[in-house]
């Protein structure tokens, strides 16, 4: 167990060096090896179990940072979720998940995570800035949704008015449609009378 912990610590440190150097894919490989190595730790001694879990969480957090830099918001969110399962109030995981949610355009979720961070750490300027950004994006989204809804209502409320003698197109709901529909009925009646008169003449 001690050797495994030493190996994992070395892998984590190597990953962190690679992450700082911008070699993200290689850094992720190191972190994944540590996470996989400590997939099951219940058979370890208590002290080593605590150390193993701490190493695993640190690597998951670093994975989320690397994925955010790669704009892979889905994997970044997944890594944060893994941390938050073990530590619900982990500020870094909450903040990075908020970043991932923003990238995925899940603005309400991003806002919720930012608010949690601010509750836990009121002086966190990054979280406050991200919160404002997410709120602004949500407002823009709401405006778009309202505009789209208004246009749909206009489209339903306005249909082309048919010319006399022609049926109204399906989907036209204008108040004038009823009057326009009456006109063909009169014409048809007149046509029918004319046809009857023609018939009598022929006899």
């Amino acid at each position: 167990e001690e050797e495994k912990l030493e190996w994992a610590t070395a892998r984590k440190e190597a990953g962190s060096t690679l992450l700082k150097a911008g070699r993200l894919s290689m850094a992720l490989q190191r972190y994944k090896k540590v996470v996989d190595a400590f997939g099951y730790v219940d058979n370890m001694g208590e002290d080593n179990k605590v150390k193993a879990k701490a190493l695993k969480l640190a690597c998951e957090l670093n994975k989320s940072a690397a994925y955010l830099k790669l704009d892979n918001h889905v994997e970044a969110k997944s890594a944060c979720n893994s941390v938050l399962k073990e530590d619900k109030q982990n500020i870094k995981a909450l903040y990075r998940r908020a970043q991932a949610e923003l990238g995925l355009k899940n603005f309400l979720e991003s806002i919720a995570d930012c608010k949690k961070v601010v509750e836990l750490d009121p002086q966190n300027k990054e979280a406050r800035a991200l919160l404002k950004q997410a709120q602004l994006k949500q407002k823009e989204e709401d405006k778009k949704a309202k505009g789209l809804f208004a246009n749909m209502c206009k489209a339903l409320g306005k249909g082309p008015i048919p010319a006399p003698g022609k049926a109204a197109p399906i989907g036209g709901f204008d108040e004038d449609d009823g009057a326009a529909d009456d006109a063909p009925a009169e014409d048809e009646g007149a046509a029918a009378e004319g046809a009857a008169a023609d018939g009598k003449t022929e006899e």
Side-chain angles (χ1 to χ4, degrees):
E1 289 181 2
E2 295 294 338
E3 286 180 7
K4 190 174 182 180
L5 285 167
E6 285 176 13
W7 168 86
T9 301
R11 295 278 74 71
K12 173 188 165 290
E13 288 173 359
S16 297
T17 301
L18 290 164
L19 182 65
K20 287 174 185 175
R23 301 173 74 179
L24 305 176
S25 296
M26 291 182 73
L28 281 167
Q29 287 175 12
R30 303 298 188 281
Y31 296 138
K32 284 176 184 175
K33 283 181 181 178
V34 176
V35 170
D36 291 342
F38 295 128
Y40 183 77
V41 296
D42 288 343
N43 59 343
M44 297 177 78
E46 278 305 312
D47 287 347
N48 287 338
K49 191 194 293 187
V50 171
K51 290 176 183 176
K53 281 187 175 181
L55 273 169
K56 184 181 176 184
L57 289 187
C59 286
E60 287 284 13
L61 275 173
N62 289 346
K63 273 172 62 183
S64 70
Y67 280 126
L68 283 171
K69 287 185 177 183
L70 289 166
D71 288 329
N72 189 336
H73 301 110
V74 173
E75 288 296 338
K77 180 181 173 180
S78 177
C80 291
N81 284 339
S82 296
V83 175
L84 292 165
K85 278 181 187 176
E86 301 292 331
D87 181 5
K88 290 180 181 178
Q89 296 188 331
N90 189 294
I91 289 173
K92 281 186 179 180
L94 285 167
Y95 176 69
R96 287 175 189 168
R97 187 170 71 175
Q99 288 179 295
E101 296 286 19
L102 186 73
L104 292 167
K105 297 186 178 180
N106 299 330
F107 305 127
L108 290 174
E109 288 84 349
S110 181
I111 289 167
D113 279 341
C114 286
K115 284 181 177 178
K116 285 178 189 173
V117 174
V118 173
E119 281 175 19
L120 294 165
D121 181 11
Q123 303 304 316
N124 195 311
K125 291 180 182 178
E126 290 86 356
R128 287 183 179 278
L130 187 63
L131 176 60
K132 285 182 182 178
Q133 193 179 348
Q135 287 172 332
L136 185 65
K137 292 283 185 184
Q138 185 59 46
K139 280 182 183 177
E140 288 173 5
E141 201 69 17
D142 289 343
K143 279 184 184 177
K144 284 180 189 176
K146 282 180 184 176
L148 185 64
F149 183 71
N151 288 336
M152 284 174 68
C153 288
K154 282 180 185 176
L156 287 171
K158 279 188 177 180
I161 298 173
K166 291 183 181 178
I170 294 169
F173 298 105
D174 284 294
E175 291 175 1
D176 294 336
D177 287 354
D181 285 344
D182 289 339
E186 290 174 12
D187 292 345
E188 285 167 13
E193 286 174 12
D198 290 344
K200 286 178 183 176
T201 307
E202 285 174 8
E203 286 175 0

